[in-house]
Amino acid sequence: MVSDVHGNAEALARAGDGADALVVLGDLIDFVDYHDHSKGILGRVFGPEKVGIFAELRRGTRRADTASYIRSLWDGLADARSVVEEAVLEQYHALFSAMSAPTYATPGNVDSPQLWPRFAGDGVHVLDGEAAEIGGLRFGFAGGGLAVPGVVRNPNAPWFPYVRTEEDMADALDRMGQVDVLCTHIPPLVPELTYDVVARRPEWGSRAALDKIHRERPRWSVFGHVHQPLARRVRLGHTECVNVGHFQRSGKPHVLNW
């Protein structure tokens, strides 16, 4: 199991070695590489200096300044949307080619799920709001992040993160039915799982996922999204909750045995 791959195709190619299946919980794209500003889509397009400025703004609390700065960068390109899609497709070709068969994958917020059908098949199963049987257990998948209430998406933006309302997340969780392993990109809404100790702020967590855990008591809840969580494991009654990322940096998959 891996999450938050962010472009690490080399390690992804080894992640399924010796396993019956590979589970990928999203964030395949390396859009902004906060560890190496020369990498990622922004680094490739704008260079490390400008990415460094963006990263510094992103760490602050002035969201309007961050949005204004990144908008000024995109406005300097003749066709920013085509530039981004070309870069995303290039990464996806490498990443999906690296997946071993069988792979069961759901997108994260740093993904373009509308492009995923191009890469499904040949042992790669894309699921979102669906379930699959793996090794006699029922795995349910729900991808994406959560939309910020009240934030209106700019229709002219060159790229959109995959986010959904909590209501839409709840619907996806309901559609999959009762499962043994709940697979989401974002964690359930538990403070120890959502707080990032490096960013020093809570990240997204799903109330609907937490409610499903309390209501249906799956054996495991697995997820990623929070790169440096306060706690990687928390037990909620019968359910073991595990953050299986940050694969881009660790290069090590989480192994689930039963």
Side-chain angles (χ1 to χ4, degrees):
M1 292 186 160
V2 302
S3 184
D4 305 280
V5 177
H6 293 303
N8 194 346
E10 182 180 352
L12 186 61
R14 302 188 299 269
D17 289 354
D20 295 321
L22 175 65
V23 172
V24 179
L25 301 182
D27 275 13
L28 296 184
I29 298 173
D30 188 15
F31 204 89
V32 183
D33 196 314
Y34 292 99
H35 299 277
D36 184 344
H37 295 163
S38 67
K39 294 182 178 180
I41 292 174
L42 286 192
R44 169 181 165 179
V45 175
F46 299 115
E49 183 177 344
K50 291 179 179 177
V51 174
I53 295 171
F54 172 78
E56 186 63 30
L57 289 169
R58 180 76 170 77
R59 280 190 288 268
T61 58
R62 297 162 66 179
R63 181 173 293 172
D65 289 347
T66 307
S68 177
Y69 179 72
I70 192 64
R71 188 164 53 247
S72 72
L73 295 181
W74 293 126
D75 287 346
L77 300 179
D79 189 353
R81 187 166 295 182
S82 294
V83 169
V84 172
E85 182 165 316
E86 179 183 346
V88 168
L89 285 171
E90 181 180 323
Q91 289 192 18
Y92 276 166
H93 277 294
L95 290 159
F96 278 94
S97 296
M99 294 178 187
S100 55
T103 291
Y104 300 84
T106 198
N109 57 294
V110 189
D111 274 312
S112 297
Q114 74 276 10
L115 300 177
W116 281 35
R118 303 190 192 189
F119 304 96
D122 296 327
V124 176
H125 309 277
V126 174
L127 303 104
D128 192 1
E130 302 164 87
E133 184 174 311
I134 306 174
L137 296 183
R138 186 173 168 84
F139 285 64
F141 295 82
L146 291 181
V148 178
V151 173
V152 179
R153 190 170 76 172
N154 177 7
N156 298 316
W159 181 80
F160 304 108
Y162 178 38
V163 294
R164 61 204 316 170
T165 64
E166 186 73 90
E167 291 76 17
D168 186 41
M169 176 66 80
D171 181 63
L173 294 169
D174 286 343
R175 289 200 310 271
M176 70 177 64
Q178 193 157 350
V179 297
D180 301 295
V181 186
L182 177 60
C183 303
T184 55
H185 176 65
I186 61 174
L189 187 59
V190 176
E192 297 92 332
L193 299 175
T194 60
Y195 189 81
D196 190 305
V197 298
V198 174
R200 297 184 180 181
R201 63 169 180 259
E203 298 287 352
W204 282 315
S206 172
R207 166 63 65 181
L210 180 61
D211 290 345
K212 186 177 181 72
I213 290 169
H214 286 314
R215 184 174 64 250
E216 300 178 7
R217 304 172 67 219
R219 290 174 65 177
W220 288 283
S221 166
V222 291
F223 47 86
H225 184 63
V226 184
H227 291 181
Q228 296 90 198
L230 185 61
R232 291 201 173 273
R233 290 175 177 264
V234 168
R235 177 166 286 278
L236 298 175
H238 179 76
T239 305
E240 183 79 8
C241 303
V242 185
N243 185 319
V244 304
H246 171 206
F247 186 74
Q248 182 201 37
R249 302 299 294 172
S250 73
K252 297 178 181 179
H254 175 78
V255 178
L256 195 66
N257 293 305
W258 65 90

